[in-house]
Amino acid sequence: MTRSPAVPDTDADGVPRGQAVLDRLVQLLDLEQLEVNLFRGVSPPESPTRVFGGQVAGQALVAAVRTVPDDRAVHSLHAYFMRPGDPRVPIIYETERVRDGRSFTTRRVLAIQHGEAIFALSASFQLAEDGLEHSEPAPSDVPAPDSLLTVGERVVRGDDAGWLARTPRPIDMRFVDEPAWSTARDGGTDAPVRVWMRADGTLPDDPLLHVCLLTYASDMTLLGSVVARHDVPGDRLQMASLDHAMWFHRPFRADEWLLYSCYSPSASGSRGLATGRFTTLDGRLVATTVQEGLVRLRRS
């Protein structure tokens, strides 16, 4: 695979990005098969203290995909995060072939570490069919992604990008609005948090790989929309994903720009609900996400 020479190998703050970093993510999603229905995945060496939720979700979906006929595409997934993942040891993915019907195929995947389940996923696949077609209008008056700052440029500007400031960036993210971690944010807002995303390089043509990459990326900013509605510093919050659901509506490429519009309709009981929509540059709605997460105020 080749990449455009116009895209640098490091972001403005010196953090690695680009094709080489993206290739490592693709390799991370390429699970080792141990036995029928049994797979093993690992975490990157620069992982934080717990496994990134998008990683385990993406790897679990790969484990499900490996047991499904090639003529069926994933249309939905529902998952629960049960325990923090340990990035120092491999993750075992056990796939259950729940149902193989004429049109739909269902799989369940359990991610296991240290003899305990850390994550569970159910995914449904469908044979391609024609039917009714409609979609909500795309967001309007959104700046083009190339006109917006990269994460590295925000860091150079003086923002504290949290864990995004310390790890390689296989996903190019351009925030339309100030993210929850931005020092330029002026209090809470009821507006959605919008960010352009794309895999930072060129991906193979395998459609299921693009779905798995989007599953990985979908966990990167979604819960931040809960925080964005409040004027609370990030260091006062304990946050973790509790569950995650996605619906894939239309074909797309994860290495082309997608607008991720995230909004939190509710927060209560130290939990926040976040919704997200992925829209292409030409206005097609291609995926919808919903996540509930732990958003707990730390005691001072």
Side-chain angles (χ1 to χ4, degrees), residues 28-29 31 41-43 51 54-64 91 93 109:
L28 188 75
L29 294 174
L31 303 179
V42 297
S43 300
V51 175
Q55 174 196 319
V56 68
Q59 288 180 331
L61 183 56
V62 170
I91 306 172
Y93 294 94
V109 180

Side-chain angles (χ1 to χ4, degrees), residues 29-231:
L29 294 174
D30 187 18
L31 303 179
E32 175 189 3
Q33 183 161 3
L34 301 177
E35 186 48 271
V36 176
N37 302 332
L38 201 63
F39 304 88
R40 177 164 55 196
V42 297
S43 300
E46 63 277 351
S47 295
T49 55
R50 63 187 183 192
V51 175
F52 169 53
Q55 174 196 319
V56 68
Q59 288 180 331
L61 183 56
V62 170
V65 166
R66 294 281 177 84
T67 69
V68 175
D70 293 339
D71 60 354
R72 302 192 176 209
V74 59
H75 70 88
S76 69
L77 63 85
H78 301 261
Y80 283 94
F81 298 89
M82 295 180 285
R83 293 181 177 88
D86 182 353
R88 299 168 299 174
V89 299
I91 306 172
I92 303 301
Y93 294 94
E94 185 177 16
T95 303
E96 179 184 359
R97 304 184 185 224
V98 178
R99 181 177 184 269
D100 290 292
R102 291 183 179 180
S103 301
F104 290 89
T105 294
T106 307
R107 295 291 184 263
R108 278 199 293 258
V109 180
L110 203 62
I112 302 168
Q113 277 189 323
H114 304 295
E116 295 182 317
I118 65 168
F119 177 85
L121 174 140
S122 295
S124 182
F125 300 76
Q126 184 187 12
L127 194 67
E129 296 184 50
D130 294 326
L132 300 177
E133 184 83 21
H134 71 266
S135 176
E136 69 175 18
S140 59
D141 300 323
V142 180
D146 292 335
S147 70
L148 301 170
L149 297 176
T150 68
V151 172
E153 288 168 341
R154 285 180 171 275
V155 172
V156 170
R157 184 183 72 173
D159 284 355
D160 177 10
W163 68 277
L164 291 174
R166 300 184 296 271
T167 59
R169 299 178 189 135
I171 308 298
D172 188 356
M173 296 190 293
R174 311 291 180 95
F175 284 89
V176 177
D177 315 283
E178 294 299 329
W181 41 260
S182 173
T183 55
R185 192 165 73 97
D186 185 20
T189 176
D190 289 337
V193 175
R194 299 168 298 174
V195 54
W196 288 103
M197 287 185 172
R198 68 175 176 185
D200 198 5
T202 303
L203 291 169
D205 291 334
D206 179 3
L208 287 171
L209 176 61
H210 290 255
V211 170
C212 293
L213 257 293
L214 195 68
T215 301
Y216 173 93
S218 67
D219 193 41
M220 299 184 79
T221 62
L222 188 54
L223 209 54
S225 65
V226 178
V227 181
R229 296 199 61 177
H230 301 268
D231 187 12

